[in-house]
């Protein structure tokens, strides 16, 4: 079987993108998705995304983790899918689409995609750390020097601890680098390694930074580039009007035979 694909990346978080409006891709085939995401024997990506028609939205985004399983919301993937939809002529400069966690709106302004994330109703405090869901579950730990953290080992220890082992969580290490600036590194479940960027993780880290006194918008540095998160507070531990803002670019296109 020959599969046509597009490769996109958002601040280094990369995805195999497939136009599945004719519903020809066997998304139930976990082994195939895992193979396509493999960086040695496949195309190579942090995840795979199908763009599909939906009767009530501009399109539907179906996201798979690199392990082949259907994933939860992916913020960088959402921005890449909006750029992909524009490339395909599905949208112009605004979109309303369906993802794993429900409806999202987005707009394109030159190189930047502004993606509206779902409201966050509460943040759990775990000692000095935090836990919240921004479309995907995220554990947040502030550190003095994020560059010296062994993200793989320390992130994996939290992801597979007694509480999170069954379902998993993403783990973010966050350093405050300015008045409204942070540096984030993330261990992603499903990839089971550090990625260059994680959109829902960046969002979670910026919201928690808001709890600790930072004002919107929060500028976020990741290993793959720079993002921005805008938000409004809602109650003690809630947030609304959350926007993940950053670039999303096509890298290449191709056909793979499997």
């Amino acid at each position: 079987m020959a599969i046509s694909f597009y490769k996109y990346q958002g601040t280094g978080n990369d995805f195999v993108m497939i136009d599945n409006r004719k519903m020809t891709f066997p998304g139930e085939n976990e082994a195939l998705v895992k193979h396509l995401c493999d960086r040695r024997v496949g195309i190579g990506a942090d995840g795979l995304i199908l763009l599909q028609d939906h009767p009530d939205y501009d399109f539907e985004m179906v996201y798979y983790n690199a392990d082949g399983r259907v994933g939860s919301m992916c913020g960088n993937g959402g921005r890449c899918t909006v750029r992909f939809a524009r490339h395909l002529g599905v949208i112009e400069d605004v979109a309303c689409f369906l993802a794993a966690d429900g409806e999202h709106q987005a707009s394109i302004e030159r190189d930047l995609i502004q993606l509206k994330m779902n409201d966050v109703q509460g943040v759990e405090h775990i000692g000095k750390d935090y836990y919240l869901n921004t479309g995907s579950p995220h554990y947040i730990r502030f550190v003095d020097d994020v560059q010296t953290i062994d993200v793989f080992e320390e992130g994996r220890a939290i992801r597979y601890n007694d509480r999170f082992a069954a379902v998993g969580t993403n783990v973010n290490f966050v350093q405050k680098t300015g008045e409204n600036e942070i540096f984030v590194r993330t261990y992603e479940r499903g990839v089971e390694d550090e990625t260059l960027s994680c959109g829902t993780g960046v969002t979670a880290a910026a919201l928690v930074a808001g709890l600790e006194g930072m004002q919107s918008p929060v500028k976020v540095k990741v290993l793959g580039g720079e993002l921005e998160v805008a938000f409004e507070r809602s109650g003690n531990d809630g947030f609304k009007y959350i926007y993940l803002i950053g670039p999303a670019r096509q890298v290449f296109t191709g056909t793979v035979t499997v």
Side-chain angles (χ1 to χ4, degrees):
M1 178 174 62
I3 299 172
S4 296
F5 69 91
Y6 298 74
K7 182 74 176 288
Y8 276 71
Q9 64 91 9
T11 53
N13 206 187
D14 59 341
F15 308 96
V16 173
M17 314 288 296
I18 295 177
D19 177 0
N20 197 39
R21 287 176 291 172
K22 294 183 179 179
M23 302 300 289
T24 57
F25 184 83
E28 73 285 352
N29 189 335
E30 289 187 10
L32 173 61
V33 174
K34 184 177 181 179
H35 171 79
L36 293 175
C37 292
D38 192 292
R39 298 191 183 278
R40 293 175 177 82
V41 299
I43 301 165
D46 293 325
L48 181 145
I49 297 173
L50 304 179
L51 184 148
Q52 300 181 169
D53 285 330
H54 193 284
D56 300 321
Y57 297 92
D58 291 324
F59 59 87
E60 181 179 8
M61 164 189 164
V62 182
Y63 174 70
Y64 297 84
N65 290 315
D67 62 7
R69 300 177 182 178
V70 175
S72 48
M73 178 56 183
C74 177
N76 288 329
R79 291 186 301 102
C80 286
T81 308
V82 171
R83 181 69 77 185
F84 183 39
R86 177 68 178 85
H87 172 78
L88 295 176
V90 174
I91 62 167
E92 290 296 330
D93 295 328
V94 295
C96 181
F97 68 95
L98 185 66
D101 63 338
E103 179 181 304
H104 289 268
Q105 290 83 39
S107 62
I108 302 173
E109 295 184 10
R110 297 184 180 179
D111 292 337
L112 298 180
I113 310 292
Q114 297 193 39
L115 175 63
K116 188 174 188 296
M117 307 295 283
N118 286 338
D119 294 350
V120 172
Q121 300 300 331
V123 179
E124 180 182 351
H125 298 250
I126 305 175
K128 294 182 178 180
D129 301 337
Y130 301 84
Y131 182 68
L132 67 161
N133 193 303
T134 52
S136 291
H138 284 278
Y139 192 97
I140 307 293
R141 173 170 291 173
F142 284 92
V143 298
D144 293 329
D145 186 356
V146 75
Q147 293 280 43
T148 63
I149 295 294
D150 188 335
V151 173
F152 178 80
E153 290 296 337
E154 294 193 33
R156 185 177 177 84
I158 296 170
R159 183 259 186 265
Y160 283 102
N161 69 18
D162 290 342
R163 173 172 176 178
F164 300 117
V167 178
T169 185
N170 304 283
V171 184
N172 305 269
F173 299 93
V174 184
Q175 178 184 349
K176 299 175 182 178
T177 56
E179 185 177 355
N180 285 302
E181 299 179 359
I182 56 177
F183 187 172
V184 181
R185 294 176 66 187
T186 304
Y187 177 97
E188 281 200 53
R189 67 170 184 176
V191 179
E192 303 307 334
D193 204 347
E194 181 178 11
T195 55
L196 295 181
S197 177
C198 174
T200 53
V202 161
T203 302
L207 297 183
V208 170
L211 289 181
E212 296 211 346
M214 288 194 181
Q215 301 300 309
S216 171
V218 174
K219 294 184 178 181
V220 186
K221 180 181 178 181
V222 293
L223 294 179
E226 296 181 352
L227 293 157
E228 190 171 276
V229 179
F231 55 84
E232 289 186 17
R233 295 287 298 273
S234 176
N236 291 331
D237 283 349
F239 297 88
K240 60 184 179 179
Y241 303 120
I242 305 165
Y243 288 88
L244 174 65
I245 305 163
R249 300 186 177 95
Q250 185 182 122
V251 182
F252 61 86
T253 68
T255 302
V256 60
T257 303
V258 294

